[in-house]
Amino acid sequence: MAAPPPLRVVHTVCSHDCPDSCAVLVAVNEEGRAVKVEGDPSQPVTQGFLCGKVAKYLDRVYAPDRVLYPMRRKSGVAKAPLKRGHEHEAFERVSWDEALDAIAARLQEISDRYGPESILPYSYAGTIGVLGYGSMDRRFFHRLGASQLDRTICAEAGGQAWNLVYGKKLGTPTEDFRLAKLILAWGANIHGNNIHLWPFVEEARRNGARLVVIDPYRTRTAAVADWHIAIRPGTDVALALGMMHVILNEGLEDRAYIAEMTHGFEALAERAREYAPARVAAWTGMTPGEIEQLAREYATTRPAALRLNYGVQRAENGGAAVRAIAMLPALTGAWKTRGGGGQLSTSGAFAWDKQALERPDLALASPIGRLARVVNMSALGQALTELGTKGPGTKGLEAAPDGPAVHALFVYNSNPGAVAPNHNAVRRGLERNDLFTVVHEQFFTDTTDYADFVLPATTFLEHTDVQGAYGHYFVQLSQQAIAPRGEARSNVWLFGQLAQRMGFSGACFRDTPEEMIRQALAIGADGHSTNAGMEHITMEELERAGHVPLKFHAAPEAQPFLPYTAGPLATPSSKIEFYSDALAAVGLDPLPGFVPPVESRWSEAAKNYPLELLARKNDNYMNSTFANLPGHRKMEARTSQRLEMHPEDAKARGVGEGDMVRVFNDRGAIELTAMLNAHLPAGVVAARLDWAKLNSGGVNVNALTSERLTDIGGGATFYSTLVEVRKAGNRD
Ligand code: SF4
């Protein structure tokens, strides 16, 4: 019998919003169908395996319910939640030409009538490929004069806070965690959503390291830690300052490192004196002895590696929390030892040429002749229901002090109908009949229910891109492995086409993905990148290898990378900043300090809503991505539509295991099934994010979350949410 024809293997990169940015090898058969995906064994962080989400990726690519053609809402169909599985009945198939012409004409009409800032793009990290995340779309919206979106929903508070301390987001190389003797995972569910760090954690533990997890929720990672500290939500900053108090009291700080590398030590020391363990214990729920033990263990173990993740900063005081935690390795000099230090994100190491990619200069050619106003994505409900209503009129640019109302919403790489806080306000906005909404998507979602047009989007197997990471130091090329299914198209194609339909004549709107990758890399005349740290990279090498380390990480054994051990740093003082003159200049506290969240057990609002809600994420979804796939839902079935409650809180409300409960506050309510969990701190309840339409009642936990913003960076505060719980049927 003849051997089957060999499969073609293509190097791609998982573009989902995950620090690991895995190198994915896709095997494609003779018919052009992908038949296998696997992690690239030659990529030092991917190490040949994929997470449970993406190991089944072909289920997603070839899902029978993929959106494959452009669709227009049928006349007379109301914008409202559509029954799952029947969404297509609300739409009619149209050609790309019809869709693009109609969308371009409508955007033009809205721009002429209300001003271009009445058009709001809404996107986030549905793909983190450099082109897919932000390139042709930015060019298009800048040239159009559309409102700019402040992309704050996930990482901005923490990112800005880290940068206030260090100037740039760098961190301990992921591979070096294997050398640590203490790993402090702070708000980091490594096993759940940073799985490629886990083999290095395991190696470190085999060599005697301890794993300490600080997290209000007993995650997979916390469950297997040597010590799980379940602190109360929003108290991380107090704990970090309490640790500093102990470290300084006992003389465990690294004075030589502090003198050489930091700014503002005396002021920080004075602040830390206020955070005696007894005081911190009252806020965090720990004992004073536990705080002392943690501080001593952290300060006296070498190497000590901190893995801080973005959960910490989704509280009202999240910016201060990240600043305080980020200062710990600077106080103890942990950065000096290979395998020590810390990592929030490595993204600051990738110096893509964003000016060339995004072309903000095109705004000068827009009808407003300047960069447009900025709208914060974490307050989408307000943007859709309140913007433009504060002045005497709402129709003109001059009429309202905050600019025009939003009349067109263009959604891609995101599902705000599920993930944006204050779901009911968002929904009120999306239901507006005078709002023109376009959604570029792979599936029908909570957002497409409100769309005038739904456009089919490609997966990372179906387009070409280049990618960095926020959890390692490799530049990777993601080559197109298969033809797009149906008529799915990439972001680059979509916005290039729309630009041409709107008469934007610049050559940049006709760039191919390959040309744009060269622009992102700033390839010079000699064929090498001219970006800092990428000077050794050529297109040919990327195409050959698929992944190339940044220059400083090219020979880690001979030349280990020790971030923040030599100056000058990219901060105003050129040093690590314990004290921020920049914050002081704008009237903010220049030092980290614990301010109890407005929505926390210490606040006035707790009289009515005494329980702190963790609106938490899933291990097997990526925010709302993957939530529609049966295999992925099965993996999350145990806590699906459950409200996890401490037994004491349940007993006080007459709630037992398996009872239906109503979880509510002033913003909304959701009905869930009670599930008792003694690992939660008393006074804290937890429920997972899901698609609203997949929950009974058609709402998700974001019906409860608020649009209040973080102290730094204007981020979303998903983990500062107060609620009350009653047995279903017992209404107040
Ligand atoms: S989601 Fe993360 S861990 Fe999973 S394949 Fe993608 S990059 Fe890797």
Side-chain angles (χ1 to χ4, degrees), residues 13-24 39 46 49-55 57 128 192-196 460 467 472 621-622 626:
V13 185
C14 174
S15 68
H16 289 282
D17 188 5
C18 168
D20 300 11
S21 278
C22 287
V24 182
T46 306
F49 74 97
L50 302 174
C51 67
K53 295 177 271 279
V54 172
Y57 204 69
I128 59 169
N193 46 40
N194 182 197
I195 190 71
H196 291 82
F460 72 82
Q467 196 165 313
H472 62 65
Y621 308 159
M622 191 69 68
F626 298 108

Coordinates of all heavy atoms in Angstrom, one line a residue, residues 13-24 39 46 49-55 57 128 192-196 460 467 472 621-622 626, ligand 1:
V13 N 1.7 31.0 15.6 CA 1.8 31.4 17.0 C 0.4 31.6 17.5 O -0.4 32.2 16.9 CB 2.6 32.7 17.1 CG1 2.8 33.1 18.5 CG2 3.9 32.7 16.3
C14 N 0.2 31.0 18.7 CA -1.1 31.2 19.3 C -1.2 32.7 19.7 O -0.4 33.2 20.4 CB -1.2 30.3 20.6 SG -2.8 30.7 21.5
S15 N -2.3 33.3 19.1 CA -2.4 34.7 19.3 C -3.5 35.1 20.4 O -3.9 36.2 20.5 CB -2.9 35.3 18.0 OG -4.2 34.9 17.6
H16 N -3.9 34.1 21.2 CA -4.8 34.4 22.2 C -4.1 35.1 23.4 O -2.9 35.1 23.5 CB -5.5 33.1 22.7 CG -6.5 32.6 21.7 ND1 -7.7 33.2 21.5 CD2 -6.4 31.7 20.7 CE1 -8.3 32.6 20.5 NE2 -7.5 31.7 20.0
D17 N -4.9 35.8 24.2 CA -4.4 36.8 25.1 C -3.8 36.0 26.4 O -4.5 35.9 27.4 CB -5.5 37.7 25.6 CG -5.0 38.9 26.4 OD1 -3.8 39.0 26.6 OD2 -5.9 39.6 26.9
C18 N -2.6 35.6 26.2 CA -2.0 34.7 27.2 C -0.5 35.0 27.2 O 0.1 35.3 26.1 CB -2.2 33.3 26.7 SG -1.3 32.0 27.6
P19 N 0.1 35.0 28.4 CA 1.6 35.4 28.4 C 2.5 34.5 27.6 O 3.5 34.9 27.1 CB 1.9 35.4 29.9 CG 0.8 34.7 30.6 CD -0.4 34.8 29.7
D20 N 2.0 33.2 27.4 CA 2.9 32.2 26.8 C 3.2 32.3 25.4 O 4.2 31.8 24.9 CB 2.3 30.8 27.1 CG 2.1 30.6 28.6 OD1 2.2 31.5 29.4 OD2 1.8 29.4 29.0
S21 N 2.3 33.0 24.6 CA 2.5 33.1 23.1 C 3.2 31.9 22.5 O 4.4 31.9 22.0 CB 3.3 34.4 22.8 OG 2.5 35.5 22.8
C22 N 2.5 30.8 22.5 CA 3.1 29.5 22.2 C 3.4 29.4 20.7 O 2.7 29.9 19.8 CB 2.2 28.3 22.5 SG 2.1 28.0 24.2
A23 N 4.6 28.8 20.4 CA 4.9 28.4 19.0 C 4.1 27.2 18.7 O 4.2 26.2 19.3 CB 6.4 28.2 18.8
V24 N 3.2 27.3 17.6 CA 2.3 26.2 17.3 C 2.6 25.6 15.9 O 2.6 26.4 14.9 CB 0.8 26.7 17.4 CG1 -0.1 25.5 17.1 CG2 0.5 27.3 18.7
G39 N 2.5 22.0 20.1 CA 3.5 22.9 20.5 C 4.8 22.6 19.8 O 5.2 21.5 19.6
T46 N 7.7 27.1 25.0 CA 6.6 26.3 24.6 C 6.9 24.8 24.9 O 6.0 24.1 25.4 CB 6.3 26.4 23.1 OG1 6.1 27.8 22.7 CG2 5.1 25.6 22.7
F49 N 4.4 21.6 24.1 CA 3.0 21.3 24.5 C 2.2 22.6 24.4 O 2.7 23.7 24.5 CB 3.0 20.6 25.9 CG 3.3 21.6 27.0 CD1 2.2 22.1 27.7 CD2 4.6 21.8 27.4 CE1 2.5 23.0 28.8 CE2 4.8 22.7 28.5 CZ 3.8 23.2 29.2
L50 N 0.9 22.3 24.4 CA -0.1 23.4 24.4 C -1.1 23.2 25.5 O -1.2 22.1 26.1 CB -0.9 23.4 23.1 CG -0.1 23.5 21.8 CD1 -1.0 23.3 20.5 CD2 0.6 24.9 21.7
C51 N -1.7 24.3 25.9 CA -2.7 24.2 27.0 C -3.9 23.5 26.6 O -4.1 23.3 25.4 CB -3.0 25.6 27.5 SG -3.9 26.6 26.3
G52 N -4.8 23.2 27.5 CA -6.0 22.5 27.2 C -6.9 23.3 26.3 O -7.8 22.7 25.6
K53 N -6.8 24.6 26.3 CA -7.7 25.5 25.5 C -7.3 25.3 24.0 O -8.2 25.2 23.2 CB -7.5 27.0 25.9 CG -7.9 27.3 27.2 CD -7.6 28.8 27.5 CE -6.2 29.0 28.1 NZ -6.0 28.8 29.5
V54 N -6.0 25.3 23.7 CA -5.6 25.3 22.3 C -5.2 24.0 21.8 O -5.2 23.7 20.6 CB -4.5 26.4 22.2 CG1 -3.9 26.4 20.8 CG2 -5.2 27.8 22.4
A55 N -5.0 23.0 22.6 CA -4.7 21.6 22.2 C -5.9 21.2 21.3 O -5.7 20.4 20.4 CB -4.5 20.7 23.4
Y57 N -7.7 23.1 19.3 CA -8.0 24.3 18.5 C -8.7 24.0 17.3 O -9.5 24.8 16.8 CB -6.7 25.1 18.2 CG -7.0 26.5 18.0 CD1 -7.4 27.3 19.0 CD2 -6.9 27.1 16.7 CE1 -7.7 28.7 18.8 CE2 -7.2 28.4 16.5 CZ -7.6 29.2 17.5 OH -7.9 30.5 17.3
I128 N -3.4 38.8 19.9 CA -2.3 39.7 20.3 C -1.2 39.7 19.2 O -0.1 40.1 19.5 CB -1.8 39.4 21.7 CG1 -1.3 37.9 21.8 CG2 -2.8 39.7 22.7 CD1 -0.5 37.6 23.1
G192 N -3.2 27.6 35.8 CA -4.4 27.8 35.1 C -4.2 28.6 33.8 O -4.8 28.2 32.7
N193 N -3.4 29.6 33.8 CA -3.4 30.5 32.6 C -2.0 31.0 32.3 O -1.8 32.1 31.7 CB -4.4 31.6 32.7 CG -4.4 32.3 34.1 OD1 -3.3 32.5 34.6 ND2 -5.6 32.6 34.6
N194 N -1.0 30.3 32.7 CA 0.4 30.7 32.4 C 1.2 29.3 32.4 O 2.3 29.2 32.9 CB 1.0 31.7 33.4 CG 2.4 32.2 33.2 OD1 3.0 32.8 34.1 ND2 2.9 32.1 32.0
I195 N 0.6 28.3 31.8 CA 1.0 26.9 32.0 C 2.4 26.7 31.6 O 3.1 25.7 32.1 CB 0.0 26.0 31.3 CG1 0.2 24.5 31.7 CG2 0.0 26.1 29.8 CD1 -0.2 24.2 33.1
H196 N 3.0 27.5 30.7 CA 4.4 27.2 30.2 C 5.4 27.7 31.2 O 6.6 27.4 31.1 CB 4.6 27.8 28.8 CG 3.8 26.9 27.8 ND1 2.5 27.2 27.6 CD2 4.1 25.9 27.1 CE1 2.0 26.3 26.7 NE2 3.0 25.5 26.4
F460 N -6.0 32.4 14.0 CA -4.6 32.6 13.7 C -4.0 31.6 12.7 O -2.9 31.8 12.2 CB -3.7 32.7 15.0 CG -3.6 31.4 15.8 CD1 -2.6 30.5 15.4 CD2 -4.3 31.1 16.9 CE1 -2.4 29.3 16.1 CE2 -4.2 30.0 17.6 CZ -3.2 29.0 17.2
Q467 N 4.7 38.2 16.2 CA 4.2 38.3 17.6 C 5.4 38.3 18.5 O 6.4 37.6 18.3 CB 3.3 37.2 17.9 CG 2.4 37.3 19.1 CD 1.3 36.3 19.2 OE1 0.6 36.1 18.2 NE2 1.1 35.7 20.3
H472 N 7.6 35.8 27.6 CA 8.9 35.3 27.2 C 9.6 36.4 26.3 O 9.0 37.4 26.0 CB 8.8 33.9 26.6 CG 8.1 33.8 25.3 ND1 8.4 34.4 24.2 CD2 6.9 33.1 25.0 CE1 7.6 34.1 23.2 NE2 6.6 33.3 23.7
Y621 N -11.1 28.9 29.5 CA -11.5 29.9 28.5 C -10.5 31.1 28.5 O -9.7 31.1 29.4 CB -12.9 30.6 28.8 CG -14.0 29.7 29.1 CD1 -15.1 30.1 29.8 CD2 -14.0 28.4 28.6 CE1 -16.2 29.3 30.0 CE2 -15.1 27.5 28.9 CZ -16.2 28.0 29.6 OH -17.3 27.2 29.9
M622 N -10.6 31.9 27.5 CA -9.7 33.1 27.5 C -10.7 34.3 27.6 O -11.2 34.7 26.6 CB -9.0 33.2 26.2 CG -7.9 34.1 26.2 SD -6.5 33.7 27.2 CE -5.9 32.2 26.4
F626 N -13.7 30.9 23.7 CA -13.8 29.4 23.9 C -15.0 29.0 24.7 O -15.3 27.8 24.8 CB -12.5 28.8 24.6 CG -11.2 29.0 23.9 CD1 -10.3 29.9 24.3 CD2 -11.0 28.2 22.7 CE1 -9.1 30.0 23.6 CE2 -9.8 28.4 22.0 CZ -8.9 29.3 22.5
Ligands
SF4_1 S1 -3.6 30.0 25.2 FE1 -1.5 30.4 26.0 S2 -0.8 28.4 26.8 FE2 -2.5 28.0 25.4 S3 -1.6 27.6 23.5 FE3 -2.1 29.8 23.5 S4 -0.3 30.8 24.2 FE4 -0.1 28.6 24.7

